[in-house]
C-alpha cells in the first residue's frame, strides 16, 4: 500500500462478477469425536531491551512498504537466527544465542555481504541443496542472492548462479522446485515505477526466473504481464494436483478498477506461465493486497487463503471443489475480518501487513497473527492500529487475544515472525515496524519470565530429502491426534517481505504423542510415524523411522 496517485479518469465501467455463495459452517472444520479444547491466551513478555537486537527499518516513502523479517538457522545449532531488512539503512544479521528455555539473546554479526543497504525484505531458501540455508534479499535496486557458507557466513552469489537481480524495487517473493530441477523457480514481485505517468502501467513488471537448460544457473527473467504492484506472492498447490501455482496479491491504489485484480498464475513445467481467468472460475477481487498466509482450516485437505489489506481483510475458501479456483470470503463468519483497530480508540480503518498461521498456545487449534500499522501519515486510516492475535476456537472461529497476550503496541508494524527462538516448544514473536525499533517477545505460556509454563504439548518437525530440494518445498505435513488431522503445506513466500525456514511447529493439546506423515513432492506418500510429544523430530524421505533431535545443552 502506498500514497495515492490522483488520476483524472473518465467514465469507468465497473464489472462485478457474481459468485454463488454456499453457506459456511464454521464448525465443520473441526468436527471430530475427540475435538481439541481451545485454550486461552499465552503471556508474551517483551525482551527487546535485553535481547541485544537494536535495529530500525526506515527510510523515505519508497520504504513505507517492506520491513521483512527472515527467521532461519544459519549456524546449524537448531535455533532460528534473524535477518532484518533495514530500508535505506543496512540490513542486519543476528545470531541466536538464547539459552534453551531461557531469556532471548541475540548477537549482531557484521559483514559486508549481509549488511546491505536498500533491503526491503528477505526469504531463507537452500538454493543449491547443500544443506546450508541461503538468502534471497529483496531490495530497492539490485536483488541479491546470498550463498550460505555455514557459521552464519554468506557470500554474494548472483554471478555464481547467473542471476540477474534487476534494478527496480522488489516487495514480494516466492520460490518452488519444478519436477527434479537442480535449482528452484523464483518469482519476484515489483512495486511502483516512479518514472511512469501512464495510469495503465504504474508498476514495474513482476518476474519469473527459472533454471537455465544447463541446470546449474538461472535463466533470464521472464516478465509476468500484466503486473499490478505486488506486495505478496505465494507458490501453492491450491488444488492438490501436484502443481504449485503462483498467487499474487496486488495494491489496488496503482491500477484502474477496469484493469487490475488479485492474480493466480498457472505454472506448468516446461510451459509459459498463464493467468487464470473468469472462464477458469477465477473471481475478480481488488484489495490493497499486502500479505498472504495459507493453512487448511476446515480439514478438507485444501488451503484457505488469508489476504491482508486496508479495512476489510479476506479469508478465502474454495466455493465448491478444487477443479476450479473459485473462492468465497468467510472472514466475517470466522471473526478475522479485522477492518478496524480492536483497541486504542481510533475508529478509522486498519492497515494490515504480515500475516501468519501458527499455534501460539499449543492447544491443537491454529491461530493467526496479523501485523498492523499506518502506511505513514494517511489520515483516512487509523494511526493507533495494534496488531492482531486471533486464537483459533473449537467451532472454527477466531477470538482476538493480542491485549490479553501482552503484545499491544501502536508502532507501524510491517514484517514479523512467530518462531521458537529458545527451543522450549512455545512460539515467540519478533516484529519489525516502519521507523521504530524492532521488538521481540518471549512466550512464557501461563507462567512468567522467571518460571515459564507451557499451556499444551507440542511437536516440532524437520523434513528433509536428498537432492536439490533438500527441505521438500511443496510437501504437505500431516499430524494426526486421535481422529483429528492438521495439515501444513511447506512453502517459501507469502507474508509481507519475509518468511521462515526451519522447525515446523504443531500444538497437540493434551495428547502425549501424535502420528506424522509427509506427502512428498512428486506424489509419494510416506508412512505414518509415531512421534512423542514435546520433542524435536527429523523426518527423512525414504527412512521408515523418525529421528529424535536434541539441542546442545538441553
Amino acid at each position: 500500500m502506498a500514497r495515492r496517485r490522483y488520476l483524472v479518469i473518465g467514465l469507468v465501467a465497473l464489472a462485478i462478477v457474481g459468485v454463488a455463495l454456499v453457506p459456511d459452517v464454521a464448525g465443520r472444520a473441526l468436527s471430530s469425536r475427540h475435538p481439541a479444547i481451545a485454550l486461552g491466551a499465552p503471556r508474551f513478555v517483551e525482551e527487546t531491551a535485553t535481547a541485544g537486537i537494536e535495529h530500525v527499518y526506515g527510510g523515505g516513502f519508497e520504504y513505507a512498504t517492506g520491513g521483512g523479517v527472515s527467521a532461519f538457522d544459519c549456524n546449524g545449532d537448531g535455533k532460528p537466527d534473524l535477518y532484518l531488512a533495514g530500508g535505506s539503512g543496512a540490513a542486519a544479521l543476528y545470531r541466536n544465542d538464547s539459552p534453551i528455555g531461557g531469556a532471548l539473546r541475540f548477537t549482531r554479526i557484521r559483514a559486508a555481504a549481509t549488511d546491505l543497504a536498500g533491503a526491503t525484505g528477505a526469504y531463507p531458501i537452500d538454493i543449491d541443496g547443500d544443506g546450508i540455508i541461503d538468502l534471497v534479499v529483496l531490495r530497492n535496486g539490485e536483488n541479491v542472492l546470498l550463498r550460505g557458507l555455514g557459521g552464519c557466513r554468506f557470500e554474494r552469489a548472483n554471478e555464481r548462479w547467473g542471476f540477474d537481480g534487476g534494478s527496480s524495487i522488489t516487495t514480494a517473493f516466492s520460490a518452488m522446485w519444478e519436477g527434479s530441477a537442480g535449482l528452484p523457480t523464483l518469482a519476484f514481485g515489483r512495486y511502483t515505477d516512479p518514472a511512469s505517468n501512464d495510469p495503465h502501467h504504474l508498476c514495474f513488471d513482476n518476474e519469473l526466473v527459472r533454471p537455465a537448460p544447463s541446470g546449474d544457473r538461472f535463466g533470464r527473467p521472464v516478465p509476468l504481464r500484466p503486473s499490478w504492484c505486488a506486495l505478496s506472492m505465494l507458490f501453492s498447490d491450491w488444488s492438490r494436483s501436484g502443481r504449485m501455482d503462483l498467487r499474487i496479491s496486488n495494491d489496488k491504489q496503482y491500477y484502474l478498477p477496469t484493469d487490475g485484480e488479485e492474480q493466480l498464475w498457472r505454472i506448468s513445467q516446461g510451459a509459459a506461465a498463464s493467468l487464470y481467468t473468469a472462464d477458469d472460475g477465477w473471481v475478480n477481487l481488488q484489495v490493497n493486497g499486502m500479505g498472504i498466509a495459507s493453512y487448511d482450516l476446515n480439514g478438507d485437505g485444501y488451503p484457505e487463503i488469508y489476504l491482508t489489506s486496508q479495512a476489510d481483510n479476506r479469508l478465502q475458501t474454495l466455493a465448491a471443489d478444487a477443479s476450479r479456483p473459485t473462492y468465497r470470503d468467510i472472514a466475517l463468519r470466522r471473526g478475522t475480518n479485522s477492518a478496524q483497530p480492536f483497541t486504542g480508540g481510533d475508529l478509522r480503518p486498519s492497515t494490515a501487513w504480515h500475516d501468519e498461521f501458527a499455534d501460539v498456545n499449543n492447544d491443537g487449534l491454529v491461530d493467526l497473527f496479523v501485523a498492523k500499522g499506518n502506511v505513514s501519515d494517511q489520515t483516512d486510516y487509523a494511526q493507533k492500529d495494534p496488531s492482531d492475535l486471533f486464537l483459533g476456537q473449537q467451532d472454527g472461529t477466531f477470538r482476538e487475544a493480542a491485549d490479553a497476550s501482552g503484545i499491544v503496541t501502536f508502532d507501524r508494524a510491517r514484517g514479523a515472525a512467530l518462531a521458537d527462538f529458545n527451543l522450549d516448544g512455545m512460539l515467540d514473536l519478533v516484529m519489525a515496524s516502519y521507523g521504530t525499533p524492532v521488538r521481540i517477545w518471549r512466550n512464557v505460556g501461563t507462567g512468567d519470565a522467571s518460571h515459564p509454563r507451557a499451556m499444551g504439548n507440542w511437536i516440532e518437525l524437520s523434513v528433509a530429502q536428498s537432492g536439490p530440494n533438500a527441505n521438500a518445498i511443496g510437501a504437505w505435513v500431516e499430524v494426526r491426534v486421535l481422529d483429528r488431522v492438521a495439515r501444513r503445506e511447506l512453502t517459501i513466500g507469502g507474508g509481507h517481505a519475509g518468511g521462515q525456514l526451519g522447525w515446523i511447529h504443531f500444538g497437540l493439546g493434551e495428547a502425549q504423542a501424535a502420528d506424522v506423515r509427509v506427502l512428498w513432492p512428486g506424489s509419494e506418500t510416506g508412512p505414518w510415524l509415531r512421534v512423542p510429544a514435546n520433542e524435536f523430530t527429523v523426518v527423512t524421505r525414504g527412512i521408515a523411522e523418525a529421528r529424535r533431535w536434541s539441542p546442545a545443552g538441553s
Side-chain angles (χ1 to χ4, degrees):
M1 174 60 213
R3 181 175 292 143
R4 292 184 177 91
R5 292 190 182 189
Y6 292 94
L7 305 174
V8 178
I9 306 172
L11 183 63
V12 175
L14 180 60
I16 301 176
V17 180
V19 183
L21 295 181
V22 179
D24 175 60
V25 181
R28 76 185 177 96
L30 305 170
S31 58
S32 167
R33 294 189 304 274
H34 308 281
I37 298 173
L39 299 178
R43 183 185 178 199
F44 285 83
V45 176
E46 185 171 359
E47 297 189 338
T48 304
T50 57
I53 297 177
E54 297 180 1
H55 186 74
V56 175
Y57 176 81
F61 193 77
E62 65 271 28
Y63 293 105
T65 59
V69 173
S70 179
F72 64 104
D73 179 10
C74 65
N75 61 355
D77 65 357
K79 291 183 286 191
D81 306 295
L82 288 171
Y83 188 72
L84 306 173
S88 61
L93 176 66
Y94 282 90
R95 185 185 66 228
N96 186 351
D97 294 326
S98 306
I100 306 303
L104 305 183
R105 299 285 187 271
F106 290 82
T107 301
R108 172 77 183 270
I109 306 297
R110 297 182 182 274
T114 51
D115 292 353
L116 295 170
T120 59
Y123 287 82
I125 177 175
D126 187 357
I127 290 175
D128 54 3
D130 63 356
I132 302 174
I133 302 302
D134 312 305
L135 279 173
V136 177
V137 183
L138 313 182
R139 299 177 69 227
N140 182 7
E142 182 192 33
N143 296 322
V144 176
L145 304 184
L146 294 178
R147 178 172 174 258
L149 303 175
C152 293
R153 296 175 298 116
F154 293 85
E155 67 178 9
R156 175 186 166 94
N158 287 26
E159 292 74 23
R160 179 190 185 97
W161 288 325
F163 172 71
D164 178 0
S167 59
S168 57
I169 185 167
T170 302
T171 46
F173 174 78
S174 191
M176 57 95 167
W177 273 257
E178 296 185 75
S180 59
L183 292 175
T185 292
L186 313 177
F188 293 88
R190 312 290 192 179
Y191 206 52
T192 56
D193 180 357
S196 176
N197 291 311
D198 181 351
H200 301 283
H201 301 284
L202 294 175
C203 310
F204 288 111
D205 286 335
N206 300 326
E207 292 179 341
L208 189 70
V209 181
R210 283 169 150 158
S214 65
D216 59 352
R217 295 170 66 83
F218 288 104
R220 297 181 63 181
V222 176
L224 293 174
R225 296 179 179 139
S227 295
W228 306 119
C229 287
L231 285 175
S232 190
M233 50 178 38
L234 183 67
F235 281 114
S236 172
D237 184 5
W238 63 272
S239 63
R240 301 303 299 271
S241 64
R243 183 187 66 245
M244 299 186 79
D245 292 328
L246 181 63
R247 183 79 178 247
I248 302 182
S249 199
N250 298 308
D251 186 350
K252 72 177 183 180
Q253 292 290 353
Y254 292 100
Y255 58 75
L256 299 178
T258 51
D259 285 350
E261 61 177 325
E262 298 292 279
Q263 294 172 308
L264 182 64
W265 289 85
R266 183 184 289 105
I267 309 294
S268 298
Q269 189 174 3
S274 60
L275 271 174
Y276 285 88
T277 68
D279 291 339
D280 303 306
W282 183 249
V283 179
N284 180 285
L285 176 64
Q286 298 177 335
V287 296
N288 301 113
M290 297 173 176
I292 302 174
S294 69
Y295 198 90
D296 177 15
L297 296 178
N298 63 12
D300 65 356
Y302 301 96
E304 275 63 50
I305 307 295
Y306 192 77
L307 304 173
T308 57
S309 181
Q310 288 186 302
D312 296 317
N313 298 296
R314 305 300 203 279
L315 178 58
Q316 294 193 315
T317 190
L318 285 169
D321 56 38
S323 63
R324 293 164 66 84
T326 304
Y327 286 87
R328 58 191 175 89
D329 182 41
I330 57 173
L332 279 172
R333 293 187 178 103
R334 294 298 182 96
T336 59
N337 178 263
S338 190
Q340 293 174 304
F342 69 91
T343 191
D346 196 328
L347 300 181
R348 290 170 292 183
S350 282
T351 303
W353 302 86
H354 181 81
D355 46 352
E356 185 173 340
F357 286 106
D359 188 352
V360 298
N361 56 5
N362 288 340
D363 60 2
L365 300 170
V366 74
D367 311 309
L368 173 63
F369 174 80
V370 181
K372 285 186 172 181
N374 197 288
V375 173
S376 59
D377 55 359
Q378 289 190 340
T379 58
D380 291 341
Y381 295 92
Q383 290 289 339
K384 298 179 70 175
D385 198 4
S387 299
D388 295 307
L389 180 60
F390 295 111
L391 297 184
Q393 302 299 297
Q394 188 172 324
D395 64 356
T397 62
F398 290 83
R399 177 175 62 83
E400 179 67 69
D403 201 354
S405 295
I407 63 168
V408 170
T409 79
F410 297 109
D411 298 341
R412 293 175 293 188
R414 294 296 189 266
L418 286 164
D420 184 4
F421 290 115
N422 60 0
L423 302 185
D424 63 355
M426 294 183 282
L427 296 177
D428 311 301
L429 172 65
V430 60
M431 186 176 75
S433 300
Y434 179 47
T436 54
V438 169
R439 294 178 185 261
I440 191 164
W441 291 264
R442 177 161 58 108
N443 186 342
V444 297
T446 58
D448 55 31
S450 299
H451 301 92
R453 185 181 300 117
M455 300 179 69
N457 295 324
W458 52 272
I459 57 172
E460 296 195 31
L461 305 172
S462 176
V463 173
Q465 63 178 9
S466 60
N469 182 9
N471 298 110
I473 302 305
W476 283 78
V477 177
E478 297 185 337
V479 174
R480 183 176 65 193
V481 175
L482 299 175
D483 63 342
R484 305 190 309 271
V485 179
R487 298 176 179 86
R488 181 179 286 276
E489 183 182 20
L490 304 188
T491 61
I492 292 175
H496 183 74
Q500 301 183 48
L501 187 59
W503 295 109
I504 308 159
H505 175 275
F506 290 88
L508 300 182
E510 297 179 349
Q512 299 298 312
D515 298 312
V516 173
R517 74 173 178 181
V518 179
L519 284 66
W520 300 96
S523 301
E524 177 187 340
T525 299
W528 286 106
L529 304 173
R530 191 68 170 170
V531 173
N534 304 327
E535 290 189 2
F536 296 87
T537 301
V538 179
V539 179
T540 303
R541 189 171 190 169
I543 297 180
E545 294 184 0
R547 177 173 61 87
R548 179 185 178 186
W549 179 89
S550 297
S554 63

